[in-house]
Amino acid sequence: MATISQQISEWQEKHSLQWRLAARARLFCSDHYHVSPDRVKFLEFMPVSQAKGREFDSCIAFCLFDLPQNGGRMEAYTKWYTQLTRARSRLLIVTTEAQLAQMGEEIFENLTITKGEKTVNAVERLNYQNPKEVTDALGWITELTSSLDTSATGRQGLREIILEGALQSDPILYYDLYYVLKSYDISSQETMAIEADIVNLLFNNAELQAPLKAYFEQPEVEEVPRLQTLIYRCLGQSWQAAEIAQSRKQSDPGTYQEVMAGIQQDLQHRHLPLEADRLARFYGLETSTNKFDNASWFKTSDKLIPLLKNWTEEQLKVG
């Protein structure tokens, strides 16, 4: 179980996939309830149906006892059970007096825990009309350091979250992307597919050139060569990406092979097979096509450039 520290900067918070996935408190709500994640800091809204079989450090049960008027009580009880048993450490219940009366307030009155030699009530009732109590409660429920849910259910939607960040008007490329993918035991093929999706989303967009280049100014990005290669690929700078990958060939040959294969795929996708083969031959990699006589091309390339130069000059004179 991987953990995430709370002591991070605002930039790190925005660009950390760990932080995005390990939102420190889950607020369980109706499947039809939606809210922008930017509106509420430190909370992740999660439909009850998505919480089954999962556990989190801190949870908020919202409108827990809202019984349906016409039947469906068994389903309501099932949702109650799900919401009340997801929290490993702390649970904040938000409800009304009427809803609480439906469930029976007495169920919370005899819950106790032992602290040292003392036995104290496990449940503390708050006055929602008291601003200080509300503020203290929100601080209490969000102060725990959370852990990444690396279970099979926790991996659901991971790819969508990553691509959702890339689709922002100011694209988010998570500096800890590869750490998280490794923590979730994502395969090499899946990792390469995610990279290809990101490149396809961001490539050839002039408006994104500046924000993408700005990533190179961040110390966190400087420490992740593979992320640097991904940014260069998004910028269409395949040779720069290959140069960085080459610098890691000896220390991380597996990643080197994956990145170089991804760069070649980028060029093929852009209908540049000759450029893909030229890059492959330059770095001693297997070429992807035998359609052209590339060996002959390379043997004459040193003479071809001056010939073209002379021919161009002659044409200009004629013109």
Side-chain angles (χ1 to χ4, degrees):
M1 189 71 72
T3 59
I4 175 173
S5 170
Q6 299 178 43
Q7 304 301 318
I8 64 176
S9 68
E10 184 176 343
W11 187 92
Q12 289 173 320
E13 179 183 323
K14 180 179 179 181
H15 295 84
S16 170
L17 184 55
Q18 294 181 76
W19 190 269
R20 171 67 179 84
L21 295 171
R24 289 180 293 169
R26 265 67 174 190
L27 191 152
F28 301 131
C29 53
S30 165
D31 289 2
H32 305 292
Y33 189 83
H34 299 284
V35 66
S36 170
D38 295 332
R39 290 181 58 190
V40 185
K41 200 173 185 180
F42 304 136
L43 296 180
E44 179 175 326
F45 285 70
M46 176 179 290
V48 179
S49 58
Q50 294 182 15
K52 293 180 180 179
R54 304 170 69 178
E55 292 184 358
F56 310 98
D57 291 311
S58 302
C59 302
I60 300 175
F62 184 70
C63 290
L64 177 64
F65 308 117
D66 192 9
L67 276 173
Q69 297 296 321
N70 301 315
R73 285 179 171 262
M74 183 56 67
E75 181 182 356
Y77 281 113
T78 300
K79 289 184 177 180
W80 292 351
Y81 174 82
T82 299
Q83 293 186 67
L84 291 173
T85 56
R86 298 308 94 194
R88 283 191 288 261
S89 300
R90 297 182 180 183
L91 174 65
L92 178 64
I93 300 173
V94 180
T95 187
T96 66
E97 294 285 352
Q99 292 170 352
L100 186 57
Q102 286 181 311
M103 180 66 178
E105 187 174 353
E106 65 278 0
I107 66 171
F108 296 108
E109 293 178 352
N110 299 319
L111 296 177
T112 60
I113 56 175
T114 301
K115 290 186 176 181
E117 298 180 354
K118 293 183 178 180
T119 299
V120 298
N121 291 333
V123 178
E124 178 183 354
R125 186 165 182 172
L126 306 175
N127 179 6
Y128 70 91
Q129 294 179 325
N130 185 324
K132 185 179 185 306
E133 288 194 20
V134 173
T135 300
D136 290 346
L138 290 175
W140 173 78
I141 200 65
T142 60
E143 71 182 2
L144 283 181
T145 296
S146 281
S147 54
L148 292 178
D149 179 8
T150 55
S151 65
T153 51
R155 288 198 296 271
Q156 294 177 0
L158 176 61
R159 185 171 184 163
E160 287 71 19
I161 290 173
I162 295 170
L163 297 182
E164 179 184 280
L167 280 170
Q168 301 293 318
S169 55
D170 184 4
I172 297 175
L173 298 179
Y174 297 107
Y175 70 88
D176 53 358
L177 169 65
Y178 297 103
Y179 172 81
V180 172
L181 293 178
K182 183 177 180 180
S183 298
Y184 278 75
D185 199 25
I186 302 301
S187 68
S188 298
Q189 290 77 9
E190 288 180 275
T191 298
M192 292 175 65
I194 291 173
E195 289 178 323
D197 286 342
I198 293 174
V199 172
N200 291 336
L201 286 173
L202 302 182
F203 174 72
N204 203 27
N205 188 330
E207 295 181 358
L208 301 182
Q209 294 282 311
L212 285 174
K213 290 178 180 178
Y215 275 93
F216 292 118
E217 301 173 6
Q218 298 297 330
E220 294 82 2
V221 176
E222 292 180 4
E223 297 174 1
V224 189
R226 184 161 186 170
L227 181 57
Q228 296 175 39
T229 67
L230 178 61
I231 297 171
Y232 275 126
R233 289 170 61 187
C234 293
L235 291 168
Q237 299 177 15
S238 301
W239 286 86
Q240 287 88 336
E243 184 177 352
I244 292 178
Q246 175 70 15
S247 69
R248 309 292 294 181
K249 181 178 180 180
Q250 299 300 322
S251 60
D252 193 353
T255 296
Y256 167 76
Q257 292 291 340
E258 292 170 15
V259 171
M260 296 302 278
I263 295 171
Q264 288 177 273
Q265 290 173 8
D266 294 343
L267 294 170
Q268 292 285 352
H269 183 72
R270 295 171 201 158
H271 308 291
L272 297 171
L274 283 177
E275 186 70 0
D277 278 4
R278 190 164 76 91
L279 184 143
R281 289 180 180 276
F282 183 86
Y283 285 103
L285 303 172
E286 182 178 347
T287 58
S288 57
T289 176
N290 293 316
K291 188 174 181 180
F292 301 97
D293 186 8
N294 293 296
S296 176
W297 175 276
F298 269 79
K299 287 177 182 177
T300 60
S301 62
D302 57 336
K303 299 178 181 179
L304 183 61
I305 293 177
L307 285 173
L308 288 174
K309 178 176 178 293
N310 293 336
W311 181 85
T312 303
E313 291 175 348
E314 290 297 325
Q315 293 300 311
L316 290 173
K317 290 178 182 178
V318 172

